[in-house]
Amino acid sequence: MPDVFADLVGQDEAVVELRRAAAAAAAVLRAGAAALVTAGPTGGDESAADEAGTAVDPSAGMTHAWIFTGPPGSGRSVAARAFAAALQCVHGTGCGECPGCHTTMGATNADVRMVVPEGLSIGVGEMRALVLRAASTPSGGRWQVVVIEDADRLTEAAGNALLKAIEEPPPRTVFLLCAPSTHPDDISVTIRSRCRVVPLRQPPAAAVAEVLVRRDGIAPDVAQWAASAAQGHVGRARRLARDPEARKRREAVLAVPRRLTGVGAAFDAASALIEAAEAEAEASVTEADTTERAALETALGAGGTGRGAAGALRGAAGQLKELEKRQKSRATRAQRDALDRALVDLAGFYRDALTMALRAPVAPVHTDTAALAGAGAQKWDADGALRRLEAVLACRAAIEANVKPRIAVEAMMLALWKG
Ligand SMILES: [Zn+2]
């Protein structure tokens, strides 16, 4: 297994910072052990511990709460997981070889918890339970690490529960939060003020292509095309390179501009886009839903005939309802994510038209529709291309602000047709 940071694409500065912090964290553990040895026999000689502390200054560079920010696909959760591994690494700062690295990267380390919200928000109950467990002594003797992906989806109450833990962190607990940005809409100002921020940037297409070739064994020309079409989103690039269905969906989205020939066509295009997103989301969650329901029913003793079975089933109704609620929330999220991917592709097309109209010396996002974007650039001019690009971005913003997707997409299609 290569170094744990190997898959963090195009983020050299962040990697340097994280390695330094992991080294400092290891020094904290060593100093702690030394202090224990010194203090051990007498049962707590605090001055000795203090001297050891100031001599090494182990706390410099290490922090109990971190926020990884960056655009989608820049590798926020990849960075958080790699850092978690570096903290558990027994040989260095993420060697990739030792048990600490292996178990963390394989998601089996007992002291590393990844919270992946499946619904639209992370609730207070989930967060309280998490904070409680995070306060326990690490079983591996190093750090308790809690990674919260999409920390921008914390409810306010959950944020407050987390804040309390971050304000007075247990000595061996580290929180790693991932969010698009440190804007107050994403992360509360008070949480932000307690965390160290690691900004990730959109990785350059060449770096994304390189990792697709090296790690996933994808042919260089396909990797280059996919990296460019995915606009710096590593996971999306891999899907485009490997999954013919993903390529087909992208082609359908990029066919939208030439289908917009009138009002009726604009509404048709809106319906097609919404339905495609729904179908894609359904395909992605149905299997998980069925498996979860079956697992829960088995756990609750469905089909059992013993004396406890009837009583267990009465209590089960509530749990099944809870599961359905969570699944519905996840389905909504999956639909929004699918729609957002389509809108990002569409925005790329109009961005190409705009840069061509401006004769800007930049490579097109979608090389395969570059000719079409060029024709658009001639017809619309820079102003018209910019208005269309803005219409797509406005649609994304509206959906993010909870406007009904169909309404937002219809408004966008009309704007794209009229210019
Ligand atoms: Zn290691």
Side-chain angles (χ1 to χ4, degrees), residues 157-401:
N160 287 336
L162 175 65
L163 178 62
K164 281 202 197 98
I166 290 181
E167 275 175 339
E168 289 173 39
R172 289 290 186 84
T173 305
V174 182
F175 290 95
L176 309 179
L177 280 52
C178 307
S181 75
T182 53
H183 188 276
D185 284 351
D186 288 336
I187 284 287
S188 82
V189 178
T190 39
I191 289 184
R192 155 75 189 86
S193 70
R194 304 274 170 177
C195 294
R196 191 153 137 199
V197 179
V198 182
L200 303 176
R201 57 194 181 114
Q202 180 172 314
V208 176
E210 188 273 325
V211 83
L212 292 185
V213 172
R214 171 173 56 78
R215 184 188 58 194
D216 302 316
I218 289 161
D221 55 333
V222 177
Q224 241 158 43
W225 165 81
S228 160
Q231 304 178 57
H233 192 305
V234 184
R236 169 93 176 128
R238 188 187 311 128
R239 251 195 315 280
L240 281 176
R242 286 180 143 179
D243 179 3
E245 288 299 313
R247 281 199 292 275
K248 242 190 265 170
R249 282 193 291 267
R250 172 180 168 278
E251 274 164 26
V253 168
L254 291 177
V256 163
R258 59 172 177 267
R259 285 175 54 191
L260 296 173
T261 51
V263 180
F267 278 101
D268 287 348
S271 285
L273 198 66
I274 296 277
E275 280 152 25
E278 283 171 357
E280 184 187 345
E282 200 179 312
S284 75
V285 299
T286 304
E287 199 187 320
D289 282 1
T290 318
T291 319
E292 272 177 7
R293 194 181 168 94
L296 181 60
E297 282 175 347
T298 310
L300 293 170
T305 50
R307 260 195 294 169
L313 275 180
R314 277 195 295 279
Q319 290 195 46
L320 281 172
K321 217 170 153 191
E322 185 58 34
L323 177 68
E324 274 164 15
K325 207 174 101 190
R326 219 170 54 230
Q327 291 181 337
K328 192 165 173 241
S329 175
R330 176 170 64 194
T332 309
R333 183 79 235 171
Q335 253 174 52
R336 279 201 200 171
D337 289 349
L339 190 54
D340 198 57
R341 271 194 295 281
L343 293 174
V344 170
D345 282 344
L346 207 52
F349 175 85
Y350 291 107
R351 174 196 168 277
D352 287 347
L354 177 63
T355 54
M356 287 175 194
L358 294 172
R359 296 180 203 290
V362 290
V365 170
H366 301 299
T367 43
D368 41 359
T369 52
L372 203 62
Q378 287 213 322
K379 201 163 109 193
W380 306 321
D381 229 342
D383 283 346
L386 179 60
R387 276 198 304 278
R388 287 172 172 85
L389 175 57
E390 282 173 345
V392 180
L393 300 179
C395 178
R396 286 186 79 196
I399 292 171
E400 194 53 43

Side-chain angles (χ1 to χ4, degrees), residues 127-136:
M127 185 52 69
R128 284 211 186 105
L130 196 73
V131 164
L132 212 60
R133 283 185 67 183
S136 61

Side-chain angles (χ1 to χ4, degrees), residues 89-90 95-96 98 101:
C89 179
V90 291
C95 67
C98 73
C101 287

Side-chain angles (χ1 to χ4, degrees), residues 4 85 88-102:
V4 297
Q88 307 295 11
C89 179
V90 291
H91 289 160
T93 55
C95 67
E97 307 287 342
C98 73
C101 287
H102 255 287

